[in-house]
């Protein structure tokens, strides 16, 4: 893969120029971007994935749902439907995508919808009775047809955007200058023990505008794994099979190794569509631990129901009170 990216290096300047020009067209008003008169928060990144957008959306849901009626709007990556779909009791990963389905399963008091056209999706949501008061846009930082009132940009500690290049040689969807559109930048997946000196060094390299703020966060893993009907204490598990279909499984693998867990790892690509042959392999395992995103896709398979568990995670933000206040001030 690295060799192919090196070969494709001559293409990178063309990709850079095309994406830079596209952004400039929006910045200068040659391409139209629609603004809205209600709170619209965009969560996104510059890279191709693995920055923790889903935990960030869930953090915002928990922060806001008791005070405001909240809706999430995602593209619904790899779903088997088209157009606008509102999650209901018939929803699953095939109809709305795995991450939106995860939101729907976990938070029963919010509205979950998908639409690749964010303008149309927002319009459909605002036609609902009652209207959602706040819309969270999942992975829409490059969707410039919508001008969100508040943009949260994520960058992973182990792959900071200022160290990266645009596709196809790097992982950036657009030039690093795109970060200037963000209101907040959150460095995700940090160590719990990251020092103030390192935070200062990273902050200086982000080259923030005066109006921008930066926060640091880490992933907090639960002490129990959960199935449809049961919980098991992580520290007491026998040897198990870890199954991941996410962009970057390394933090989870490192965490389990640090805890002294014994496991074999079956690693699949992000948003992997499990085939019948994959399910046959997994059905032969005695105990499977997976991520919540993978769980919502695998739990429908009857041969796996008695052996399939997921490890819950939450995003923890350093200076959470300051972060929460900044978001609440925008909402209000």
């Amino acid at each position: 893969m690295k060799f192919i990216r090196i070969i494709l290096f001559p293409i990178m300047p063309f990709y850079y120029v095309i994406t830079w020009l596209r952004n400039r067209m929006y910045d200068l008003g040659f391409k139209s971007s629609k603004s809205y008169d209600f709170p619209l928060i965009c969560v996104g990144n510059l890279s191709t994935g693995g920055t923790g957008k889903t935990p960030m959306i869930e953090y915002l849901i928990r922060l806001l749902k008791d005070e405001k009626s909240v809706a999430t709007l995602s593209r619904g990556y790899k779903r088997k439907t088209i157009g606008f779909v509102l999650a209901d009791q018939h929803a699953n990963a095939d109809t709305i995508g795995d991450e939106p389905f995860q939101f729907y399963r976990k938070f029963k008091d919010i509205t979950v919808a998908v639409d690749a056209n964010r303008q149309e999706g927002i319009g459909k949501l605002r036609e609902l009775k009652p209207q959602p008061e706040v819309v969270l846009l999942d992975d829409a930082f490059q969707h410039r047809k919508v001008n969100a009132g508040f943009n949260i940009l994520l960058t992973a500690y182990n792959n900071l955007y200022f160290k990266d290049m645009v596709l196809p040689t790097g992982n950036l969807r657009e030039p690093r200058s795109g970060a200037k559109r963000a209101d907040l930048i959150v460095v995700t997946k940090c160590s719990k023990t990251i020092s103030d000196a390192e935070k200062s060094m990273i902050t200086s390299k982000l080259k923030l505008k005066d109006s921008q703020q930066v926060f640091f966060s880490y992933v907090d893993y639960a002490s129990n794994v959960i199935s449809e009907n049961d919980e098991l204490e992580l520290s007491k598990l026998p040897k198990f099979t870890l199954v991941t279909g996410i962009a970057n499984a390394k933090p989870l693998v490192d965490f389990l190794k640090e805890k002294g867990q014994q496991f074999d790892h079956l690693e699949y690509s992000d948003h992997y569509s499990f085939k019948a042959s994959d399910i046959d392999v997994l059905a032969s395992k005695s105990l499977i631990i997976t991520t919540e995103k993978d769980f919502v896709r695998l739990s429908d398979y009857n041969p796996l129901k008695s052996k399939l568990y997921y490890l819950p995670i939450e995003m923890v933000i350093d200076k959470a009170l300051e972060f929460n206040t900044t978001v609440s001030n925008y909402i209000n």
Side-chain angles (χ1 to χ4, degrees):
M1 185 64 179
K2 289 183 179 180
F3 179 69
I4 294 174
R5 289 194 169 202
I6 292 172
I7 291 176
L8 293 175
F9 180 82
I11 299 174
M12 189 180 70
F14 296 98
Y15 183 91
Y16 182 102
V17 170
I18 290 169
T19 53
W20 182 85
L21 282 175
R22 175 181 181 270
N23 279 329
R24 289 298 291 164
M25 294 284 279
Y26 278 106
D27 294 339
L28 297 173
F30 293 111
K31 280 180 167 288
S32 62
S33 182
K34 186 173 182 179
S35 298
Y36 297 84
D37 60 357
F38 64 92
L40 190 65
I41 299 178
C42 169
V43 174
N45 50 22
L46 296 184
S47 68
T48 53
T51 56
K53 293 185 296 294
T54 300
M56 183 76 255
I57 291 286
E58 292 188 355
Y59 183 100
L60 293 171
I61 292 170
R62 292 187 182 95
L63 174 64
L64 301 172
K65 67 182 180 64
D66 293 335
E67 301 294 330
K68 301 287 184 179
S69 59
V70 175
T72 65
L73 181 63
S74 310
R75 175 176 52 159
Y77 185 62
K78 284 199 172 182
R79 62 186 170 116
K80 297 179 180 178
T81 57
I82 58 173
F84 179 81
V85 179
L86 190 67
D88 58 19
Q89 67 271 23
H90 304 296
N92 56 41
D94 285 340
T95 60
I96 62 173
D98 48 16
E99 289 157 341
F101 187 46
Q102 180 176 322
F103 303 149
Y104 179 72
R105 282 168 50 100
K106 185 177 288 187
F107 303 102
K108 296 302 183 183
D109 47 357
I110 71 165
T111 301
V112 176
V114 295
D115 197 331
N117 186 321
R118 303 307 204 283
Q119 277 194 18
E120 290 187 6
I122 293 168
K124 295 285 187 182
L125 284 171
R126 295 291 283 180
E127 290 173 2
L128 299 176
K129 302 297 181 185
Q131 289 181 339
E133 297 172 287
V134 180
V135 176
L136 305 178
L137 296 177
D138 178 22
D139 195 14
F141 196 72
Q142 284 75 38
H143 200 93
R144 297 297 305 274
K145 290 183 179 180
V146 168
N147 183 25
F150 199 78
N151 285 286
I152 300 175
L153 180 69
L154 309 183
T155 183
Y157 171 81
N158 61 355
N159 191 24
L160 295 159
Y161 67 74
F162 59 74
K163 297 179 180 179
D164 206 350
M165 297 181 288
V166 297
L167 294 165
T169 301
N171 291 312
L172 298 185
R173 299 170 173 178
E174 61 174 295
R176 287 172 277 187
S177 58
K180 296 183 184 299
R181 301 197 305 275
D183 296 285
L184 297 184
I185 297 174
V186 181
V187 181
T188 61
K189 302 184 179 182
C190 298
S191 165
K192 290 184 181 182
T193 58
I194 184 173
S195 67
D196 289 340
E198 189 170 11
K199 290 178 188 176
S200 296
M201 181 272 291
I202 292 172
T203 300
S204 67
K205 292 187 176 181
L206 290 173
K207 298 181 179 178
L208 303 176
K209 299 189 302 182
D210 290 342
S211 61
Q212 290 179 314
Q213 294 175 270
V214 63
F215 293 88
F216 295 82
S217 72
Y218 64 87
V219 173
D220 191 29
Y221 294 94
S223 56
N224 288 358
V225 293
I226 299 174
S227 71
E228 290 281 10
N229 304 303
D230 192 20
E231 289 190 26
L232 297 175
E233 191 172 336
L234 179 63
S235 62
K236 295 182 179 179
L237 291 181
K239 186 175 180 179
F240 58 84
T241 300
L242 175 67
V243 175
T244 60
I246 56 178
N248 180 15
K250 187 178 185 301
L252 174 57
V253 170
D254 290 346
F255 167 77
L256 292 172
K257 287 180 177 179
E258 288 172 5
K259 291 295 183 182
Q261 302 297 139
Q262 299 297 311
F263 60 94
D264 298 317
H265 185 195
L266 296 180
E267 186 172 11
Y268 300 88
S269 58
D270 195 19
H271 298 278
Y272 181 75
S273 297
F274 292 94
K275 302 184 288 290
S277 57
D278 300 316
I279 301 306
D280 289 341
V281 170
L282 298 180
S284 68
K285 308 300 181 182
S286 56
L287 177 62
I288 300 170
I289 308 299
T290 190
T291 68
E292 190 168 3
K293 185 170 81 170
D294 295 309
F295 182 86
V296 299
R297 285 179 289 135
L298 290 170
S299 58
D300 284 339
Y301 294 98
N302 288 325
L304 306 183
K305 286 186 179 294
S306 64
K307 59 186 70 179
L308 184 68
Y309 293 76
Y310 70 89
L311 180 61
I313 64 170
E314 284 190 18
M315 176 178 282
V316 179
I317 297 178
D318 184 34
K319 299 183 180 178
L321 180 59
E322 184 179 342
F323 177 91
N324 296 351
T325 300
T326 302
V327 173
S328 295
N329 286 344
Y330 163 69
I331 294 297
N332 294 318

